[in-house]
Amino acid sequence: MEMTEIIQKQACFTDLTYRHLSKCLQSYDSGELLASIIWAAVFTEALLKDILFEIDGKDHEEELNLLIRNLNLNVQSGNDREQNSNKKTFSTADRKNLADVHRRCNEIRIKRNRLVHDTGVERGSLEVDAKDVHENIVQIIKRYTDTEIAAEFQKRNSPTELVGKKSKEPDFPIFISSITPHTFEQGEFITSFCEKLKEIGVKPIRCVLNDFDKKDPMGKVRDTIEACKAVIVIGLERSHVYYYKDKEGSQEESESTHRKYTSGWLHLESGMAIALKKPIFVLCQKDIHSDGIFDRAWNTYLPIEIESPLYVSQPNITMMLQKIEEFVANYKG
């Protein structure tokens, strides 16, 4: 299951459970292996409480091992309508999926206990355990989101359900120039930012290149930008140079450590937007190198800086969204 697929399934979870999942996946991405295992156990505990509440309508405050046992008992007896008239029944597919969720939650519990408690069992490699737990988490998400329980959560959490009527589809196309996210945090941020854009009537447009575009990738990008009303450039970290030299071999040679860059594609796409006379809005992480479209001193388009960790409710991003909303209103009016 790809990272983008997991992010798109957010509505299948309660807010608290999804926050635990996010912490788990972000910890694994950043190499905080022990933390990723702990958060995995916290996530599975919250998820099991949600599932069990949907099954029997009761709040569950048991510890993880009892939650796992209760899920197994409910799945095994869930289709006996006479004995369990007040409990949810399961399709064959759901029984299979939830049985796999049960098994994998138990594996995570065992590894968590072995790492944080003196169980008398020899500890394994942290790297191996973290990788195994991560793979189990991904499979739990895949299995759970295929169930009717997850579908019911998604329906309740969808905007049309929350508003009570079908909301208007965003119809103002703006090109989003950013990296292909390689961490869960980056993926969540881009997705959340695009959702905020939709709320103000903006239709975010990404240019997805495939093998057929290898001969002329810039042509496809140009055509996509040309069909949009404006461009938003989001500079997220792609490369981290730990030691570098500037102007090597000259009188102005200098050296230093730690410089972060985004993708060169963003500079190319920005140049096309300028040539096509498209309005440009620029966001970037605070520690991205001041260069090209992200130059803080010599720039027609002043970059708005984003703090880490990435989240869309930062004051600078709120201000940027207000400016974009004003731009859309003025363009239409």
Side-chain angles (χ1 to χ4, degrees), residues 249-260:
S250 74
Q251 293 286 338
E252 299 175 345
E253 178 180 314
S254 64
E255 61 183 49
S256 189
T257 58
H258 297 292
R259 180 180 284 181
K260 295 181 180 181

Side-chain angles (χ1 to χ4, degrees), residues 1-249:
M1 195 172 195
E2 297 293 331
M3 171 180 61
T4 52
E5 293 180 86
I6 295 173
I7 294 170
Q8 289 168 358
K9 296 289 188 179
Q10 180 174 351
C12 294
F13 304 91
T14 61
D15 288 342
L16 179 61
T17 301
Y18 184 79
R19 286 202 298 273
H20 294 331
L21 172 61
S22 178
K23 289 285 188 182
C24 169
L25 297 178
Q26 287 186 36
S27 297
Y28 185 77
D29 281 342
S30 61
E32 300 172 28
L33 302 183
L34 180 58
S36 73
I37 295 173
I38 302 301
W39 278 114
V42 173
F43 161 68
T44 54
E45 185 172 302
L47 179 64
L48 290 172
K49 288 179 180 179
D50 293 342
I51 293 173
L52 288 169
F53 181 82
E54 287 299 305
I55 292 173
D56 59 21
K58 299 177 182 177
D59 290 325
H60 289 263
E61 299 301 329
E62 305 95 314
E63 293 184 353
L64 183 56
N65 60 329
L66 290 178
L67 291 169
I68 293 169
R69 184 183 302 173
N70 283 339
L71 175 64
N72 186 48
L73 291 173
N74 276 284
V75 171
Q76 293 298 323
S77 62
N79 273 12
D80 188 341
R81 293 181 181 271
E82 292 183 1
Q83 294 183 17
N84 300 280
S85 58
N86 295 325
K87 292 185 178 180
K88 184 177 181 64
T89 59
F90 302 101
S91 66
T92 301
D94 276 7
R95 286 167 65 87
K96 183 178 179 181
N97 283 326
L98 291 174
D100 192 61
V101 168
H102 162 262
R103 179 179 66 83
R104 293 181 184 277
C105 286
N106 200 43
E107 289 182 10
I108 291 171
R109 179 189 66 83
I110 291 169
K111 284 186 168 57
R112 187 279 309 268
N113 287 352
R114 194 172 65 196
L115 285 167
V116 301
H117 300 302
D118 183 9
T119 61
V121 179
E122 184 179 353
R123 291 178 172 85
S125 162
L126 180 59
E127 290 79 8
V128 172
D129 281 348
K131 182 179 179 182
D132 184 63
V133 167
H134 177 73
E135 290 173 352
N136 275 317
I137 286 292
V138 172
Q139 289 302 315
I140 286 171
I141 298 165
K142 184 176 181 180
R143 294 291 192 179
Y144 164 70
T145 54
D146 277 343
T147 65
E148 292 179 10
I149 290 175
E152 289 171 5
F153 267 111
Q154 189 170 34
K155 182 180 178 182
R156 288 202 297 269
N157 291 333
S158 66
T160 53
E161 288 293 320
L162 295 174
V163 174
K165 59 181 179 180
K166 186 174 178 60
S167 56
K168 184 180 177 182
E169 288 293 326
D171 58 0
F172 193 88
I174 292 184
F175 184 85
I176 307 299
S177 176
S178 191
I179 65 170
T180 299
H182 56 270
T183 68
F184 194 77
E185 180 184 21
Q186 290 176 342
E188 270 195 323
F189 178 80
I190 292 173
T191 300
S192 298
F193 185 78
C194 287
E195 289 301 316
K196 290 290 185 182
L197 289 174
K198 291 177 184 177
E199 291 176 10
I200 59 175
V202 171
K203 182 179 181 180
I205 304 294
R206 300 293 302 271
C207 185
V208 180
L209 300 173
N210 54 45
D211 288 343
F212 295 102
D213 302 313
K214 285 182 177 179
K215 296 289 185 181
D216 186 23
M218 302 314 298
K220 182 172 182 179
V221 173
R222 181 195 62 236
D223 292 344
T224 306
I225 293 175
E226 192 169 18
C228 294
K229 307 296 187 185
V231 172
I232 300 172
V233 187
I234 307 173
L236 303 182
E237 180 189 341
R238 177 67 178 270
S239 304
H240 186 162
V241 178
Y242 289 85
Y243 169 79
Y244 63 90
K245 281 190 175 183
D246 269 341
K247 302 179 181 178
E248 187 173 9

